[in-house]
Structures are given as structure tokens and as C-alpha cells.
Amino acid sequence: MPLNETGKCSHCCSSNLCNSHGCGEQAPKRQNGTICYQCDGKLQSEACHKVTFCGNDEMCYISEESWYGEIMYRSGCKDNNCVNEQYPYPIFGRRNYRSAKRVRCCNSNLCNEKFKSQSLTLKPVKPDNTASVNNIEATTYSTKFYSTTSVINKDSQLTDFILLFPDGKYYEHAQPKVFLTSSDSDVFLAFNFCNHTIQPFSFVRNKTEYLLDQNVFMTDGLKQAGLQLYGRYISSVYGFILNQPYYPHHYSEGYLAIPTRYLGTTYIIPSFQVLNSRNVITVSPTKSSTSVTMNLKISLGFVKYSNKQYFNGDNITVVINKYETFQISLNATSDLTGTMVTSSDPIAVVSGSKCDNTSYNIECNPLIEMVLPINQLDNAFIIPHINIRPDSVVRLLSVTDTLVTIQTRYSSNVTRQIKGRHFYDFPHNEVSRVTASSDISVMIYPQTFSNEKGDAFMMTIPGISQYLPYYHFVVPEGFQSFISITTRTSEFNDFLLDGLMVFSADKVYTLVSDKTNYSSFTKPISSGEHTP
């Protein structure tokens, strides 16, 4: 054992934990043999040099957290119930904090040094069998001809999305697609409701677009049409319907999908009265034998299902199995806004119309949006500036009797009482703030351009409590696209887009209030995947 000039022992080694017996020292007693890195608040470029010994009921973890755009790492021991959490959180989901994180759990020595990619495994099961692994619910589907089960490995910690595609006037010429982003390398599984096939595909950087089979399109009634997408590190998913090149002015629209863990059992339907078209509601459950009831609110006309006509105030009740989809449409140029949809188990809901002639009878794109359940609604909103869209309508839809206040930049506050299941519309062109005495749905409907250079669309306005410090999203090709950014005025100069500082546009719209000031601006944005 070498001694240095001061008589102190010096012992060098290069393997993990090799100095635990250095200079004759006895190694600390292990409680269960699991040794973990333990550091708090490290940056990505900083190494962790501390370790700890976990207890008998603990395992290693490492968390990656984003605070106002700064990525920090924490590591140590957690109890054996530690669960891998996805980062970033999907865009939807109410929260009262401004952080996002992911957690990785593991149970071998020093396994929490950094985040590592994990592969998703699929265990096939022979036909006519059902199976489960480690008490994890199997994904089961059945038809008249066969019954099959596929079991996804318990370690996968998946996020899943149900994607629904209502039919429209020219849907037979359209291409259904999914756009997605991922925070890490991943393998995704796409389950087609129609032919019950599972298609695995690997996420490839700079490839965010995947073409789907046309059998995902839904028509009125009850059928197997749709898609369920599974993945571990999915950041955002978009259902999209793209026109064919030989139909340059028809049928391009999409929506941001809601993860199934945020789906609910009670919805109030946003829609819009359009020219010469039909409003549509499409639903699909997360579990079999789900009872769904639609209490119709119709200004004119009726809904026809199973050779029966249903009018305003009538209930349509249907039992839907997993991987089935139910759709209704209105027979007249009318509006289904305020229709209530309730279910015995969580369901995905898509609303809109089959043709979006909201201003000029020249185009026929659909209106499509995935609907938030009422437990994800909010009572405070900023309606942002939307570039080259001078004429828009904002619709405030109330679940119960509600008092709303609307603030704009140039006029005094407007207060209105909205009855339950009714709505109030107001014009919008710059930036507005809406507050309500109870939770409401807020939608914006930018109008069609008369020069055929822009189609109408419907878009959910998220509540302030759903704002995140981090967004990972994709912009489709072939369009003139813009990004609208809204933030507290005090945090206005802290934006990163694709690793570069974002400088505000020529026009910045700021709302001054007694509480918090908010600013909004719009900038052109290129197609493809975008990160902070």
C-alpha cells in the first residue's frame, strides 16, 4: 500500500466503486446490493460523482425536469413503486405548475447515470387465446371470425392515442395521415380498427409523417374504423387529412390528438353552422361495452340513426365496444353546438362538419377538432393573434350558467351571462382575454378567404392553466404556416425555437390587466419538426 510524502495513503483505480476498499478501508454495508447515483440539480453537461445505497424497498431513478426551458437532472433512490413517466407531458392536461419532467426507474447498480433508450417489445399470442403478463391488462380485440390478444411488455410504459377520421364530401380522394414527434428513439405500434392489424414502425429523425390506410375513415353509424397509436416517448400526435394533388382546393384539415389518459366521460360539443353541409360527431371508447348517450341540441333539422329520426332534446344511446366507432351527422345546415355526450367509460370525441363553407360557398374542406372533456376545460383564456386571418369568430360555450368577461385592446370590458349549453360569439382580429365564473369551452373559427388562398378551420383555445414551458410539435409541408406565441409579458424575451433565440415579430399585441399582463405575436414557421 503506497504512502505519499505526508504519510497518507494513496490508492488509485479506474473501475466503478473500486475505491470502496482503498487504503484498507472497509466498504459501507449494502442494504440490498443496489447502488445508485445521487445528485440534485445537475445540468446535462455535468457528471454526477456521488452514490448512495438504496433500502430494501427502493430502486434507482433519474429525472429530467424542465424549469422555464432549463433542463436539470436529479438522481437517487425511489421506492419500488417508481414508474417511468413521459417527458414532455402531452400538450393537453390541466396543471398549476410550470415544470415538466420525465422519470426513468431501474434496479441494477449505477443504472441511473443517464437516460437510455429502451426498445418496445411486442409479444404475439396465437389466435383463439387470451393472455396477460404480470397482471397488465392485455389489448384484446375480437370479430365474428376470430379472437386474438397482443400483450405489450410491462416495461414499455406506453402512451396511447385514439385517432378518428370523420368522412367528408371528398374523403374518397383524401389521404389520412398521422404526424408525430418523439422526445427519444422509439418504436410505435399502430392498431387499425378495421382489419385488426398491428403495424410497428420506428421513429426516424426528420420523418414525422406516416400514411394510413383509407379504411380508417368513418361514415355515419357504428363500424370498425379508426386507429390506436402506442409509443413510449411520444410528444405530440396529429390526425391529418390531406388532399390529393389533383384536388388542389379540397380536403386538408387536422387536429391535435389527446392522449387516452386525458379522455373523459362527459363532453359538451363545439361546432359551427356552415353552408350546405352537415355537422358531425364521432366517438370511440377506450373499453368494450361502453354505453354512450348523446343528448342532442339542434337549432334546425334532425339526426337519423337506425331508421329513426332524433330531434332537439332527444337522446341517442348506443353500446360501443373497443375498436368500434360511432358517428352521427345533422341532416340540415344547422348546428350541434351544446350537444352533451356522456359515457360509462372514457371515450375519444371528434367534432366538426363535413364541409367548411363558413363564409364563402367556394371551398369544401372539413372542420375537425378533437374535443376536450369537461374536466379539462378552464375559466381563463388568452385568444392569440392569428396572422393573415383578419376575420375570425370566437365562440364561448358554457356547460352551466356562466358569467363571462371579454377584454380586448381597444374597447372596454364586455360582460355577458351565458346559459348552460348555450354560447356567445364575438369577432376577433388581434388579441383578447376571456375570464368566466365557471369552466367553459373556447373555440376560434378563422373564416375562409374570398381569394381561395385560405380555408376556414376550427381550433381549441387552451386555458392559461394548460400552458407549458416546452413544446415539441410538427408543421405539415405544402402550406403557408405561422406560429402564434402567447406568454406573460414579463417573460417575453425568453424563447428558444430549434435551439435559437426567437425574436418577436414586428407587431406584438399586449393586454394590460390588474393581475397579469400577456403578450402575443405571430411569426412564419417552416414545415417539419420543431423543438425548443
Side-chain angles (χ1 to χ4, degrees):
M1 181 181 306
L3 297 177
N4 60 21
E5 294 179 356
T6 62
K8 294 182 179 180
C9 171
S10 176
H11 186 169
C12 301
C13 57
S14 60
S15 60
N16 287 336
L17 302 177
C18 62
N19 62 341
S20 60
H21 295 83
C23 296
E25 292 293 325
Q26 293 186 353
K29 293 183 179 180
R30 301 185 184 184
Q31 299 181 48
N32 70 347
T34 304
I35 305 170
C36 305
Y37 285 104
Q38 182 178 43
C39 288
D40 189 20
K42 289 288 185 180
L43 298 174
Q44 187 173 14
S45 59
E46 298 176 323
C48 179
H49 299 291
K50 296 179 181 180
V51 297
T52 187
F53 294 92
C54 291
N56 292 324
D57 56 351
E58 292 180 321
M59 61 195 306
C60 302
Y61 86 96
I62 179 171
S63 70
E64 180 184 75
E65 304 182 23
S66 171
W67 289 91
Y68 297 91
E70 186 73 71
I71 304 298
M72 305 294 289
Y73 292 86
R74 305 176 191 276
S75 56
C77 299
K78 276 185 177 292
D79 62 55
N80 285 329
N81 294 322
C82 177
V83 175
N84 292 344
E85 298 179 8
Q86 173 168 320
Y87 170 78
Y89 282 131
I91 292 176
F92 285 108
R94 292 187 65 168
R95 48 202 152 251
N96 294 317
Y97 48 87
R98 293 182 59 80
S99 69
K101 70 177 182 179
R102 63 172 172 166
V103 175
R104 180 176 176 268
C105 312
C106 54
N107 55 12
S108 59
N109 288 335
L110 303 177
C111 59
N112 62 337
E113 179 182 6
K114 59 182 179 180
F115 277 98
K116 299 177 182 178
S117 300
Q118 299 172 334
S119 60
L120 176 121
T121 59
L122 182 68
K123 178 181 177 181
V125 179
K126 295 180 180 179
D128 302 317
N129 288 331
T130 58
S132 61
V133 173
N134 296 329
N135 297 321
I136 297 300
E137 181 181 354
T139 301
T140 304
Y141 54 86
S142 61
T143 68
K144 182 178 179 180
F145 304 104
Y146 60 90
S147 176
T148 304
T149 300
S150 297
V151 181
I152 297 174
N153 194 326
K154 179 180 178 181
D155 293 335
S156 59
Q157 302 294 336
L158 300 178
T159 297
D160 62 299
F161 301 77
I162 294 175
L163 296 171
L164 305 176
F165 298 87
D167 65 320
K169 190 171 182 180
Y170 300 105
Y171 79 95
E172 66 272 14
H173 303 291
Q175 295 177 332
K177 295 188 176 184
V178 58
F179 289 82
L180 56 87
T181 63
S182 175
S183 61
D184 207 336
S185 300
D186 207 346
V187 174
F188 302 101
L189 302 177
F191 182 89
N192 187 304
F193 292 3
C194 180
N195 54 27
H196 289 178
T197 58
I198 298 177
Q199 177 185 0
F201 52 93
S202 298
F203 178 78
V204 179
R205 284 295 170 193
N206 300 320
K207 177 176 172 55
T208 58
E209 175 182 335
Y210 298 88
L211 181 65
L212 305 177
D213 195 296
Q214 276 207 322
N215 60 21
V216 300
F217 277 118
M218 183 63 189
T219 55
D220 288 0
L222 183 64
K223 62 184 290 189
Q224 292 174 324
L227 189 83
Q228 190 151 4
L229 184 70
Y230 301 84
R232 182 177 301 104
Y233 300 123
I234 297 177
S235 302
S236 56
V237 173
Y238 305 81
F240 203 80
I241 303 172
L242 190 66
N243 63 283
Q244 295 277 20
Y246 45 85
Y247 278 85
H249 301 302
H250 294 136
Y251 226 97
S252 295
E253 180 63 306
Y255 60 83
L256 177 64
I258 303 174
T260 58
R261 62 173 163 160
Y262 289 117
L263 299 178
T265 59
T266 306
Y267 294 80
I268 187 166
I269 299 300
S271 192
F272 205 82
Q273 184 169 340
V274 296
L275 303 174
N276 303 321
S277 184
R278 295 184 172 194
N279 278 196
V280 62
I281 302 173
T282 308
V283 304
S284 186
T286 59
K287 298 181 180 180
S288 288
S289 302
T290 297
S291 177
V292 178
T293 297
M294 298 182 180
N295 182 254
L296 301 176
K297 191 170 187 299
I298 305 174
S299 57
L300 178 68
F302 60 87
V303 169
K304 188 175 182 179
Y305 170 62
S306 190
N307 296 319
K308 181 180 178 180
Q309 294 180 352
Y310 295 84
F311 296 87
N312 182 53
D314 288 345
N315 287 334
I316 300 176
T317 300
V318 61
V319 175
I320 314 174
N321 287 322
K322 189 173 176 65
Y323 309 128
E324 289 183 336
T325 303
F326 180 66
Q327 178 176 296
I328 64 169
S329 63
L330 200 53
N331 78 317
T333 300
S334 185
D335 197 348
L336 284 168
T337 296
T339 293
M340 294 296 299
V341 178
T342 57
S343 59
S344 58
D345 290 294
I347 57 175
V349 180
V350 170
S351 174
S353 72
K354 298 189 177 187
C355 184
D356 72 1
N357 295 324
T358 55
S359 298
Y360 303 94
N361 192 14
I362 59 174
E363 296 292 346
C364 206
N365 278 28
L367 297 179
I368 306 175
E369 185 71 318
M370 184 163 275
V371 183
L372 285 171
I374 63 171
N375 65 355
Q376 293 293 330
L377 301 181
D378 210 336
N379 59 9
F381 305 81
I382 303 295
I383 294 88
H385 171 63
I386 299 179
N387 203 26
I388 67 171
R389 293 287 182 163
D391 298 315
S392 298
V393 174
V394 173
R395 174 161 292 185
L396 312 181
L397 175 59
S398 179
V399 181
T400 60
D401 292 354
T402 304
L403 188 68
V404 299
T405 300
I406 303 165
Q407 177 191 358
T408 63
R409 294 180 67 222
Y410 299 114
S411 61
S412 57
N413 292 355
V414 175
T415 301
R416 292 288 186 271
Q417 181 76 34
I418 306 177
K419 294 182 179 180
R421 300 179 64 183
H422 286 69
F423 61 85
Y424 175 75
D425 292 347
F426 67 90
H428 173 79
N429 53 33
E430 286 190 359
V431 62
S432 309
R433 177 175 181 150
V434 173
T435 55
S437 59
S438 59
D439 291 343
I440 61 174
S441 165
V442 178
M443 306 292 295
I444 189 168
Y445 300 85
Q447 304 295 284
T448 303
F449 283 172
S450 59
N451 60 6
E452 302 188 21
K453 291 187 177 180
D455 300 309
F457 61 89
M458 64 186 295
M459 183 175 70
T460 301
I461 301 297
I464 291 175
S465 68
Q466 295 204 13
Y467 287 5
L468 276 174
Y470 180 109
Y471 290 90
H472 190 178
F473 60 97
V474 62
V475 177
E477 293 184 0
F479 299 89
Q480 184 183 13
S481 301
F482 298 85
I483 183 173
S484 294
I485 298 176
T486 302
T487 184
R488 294 175 182 174
T489 304
S490 59
E491 302 167 11
F492 187 72
N493 295 317
D494 295 331
F495 295 110
L496 286 176
L497 181 63
D498 301 326
L500 301 176
M501 185 69 69
V502 175
F503 296 98
S504 62
D506 295 335
K507 289 186 177 180
V508 177
Y509 302 94
T510 299
L511 281 174
V512 179
S513 67
D514 296 336
K515 297 181 180 180
T516 304
N517 298 340
Y518 284 88
S519 295
S520 178
F521 66 91
T522 303
K523 290 182 69 68
I525 191 167
S526 61
S527 60
E529 184 179 6
H530 295 280
T531 60

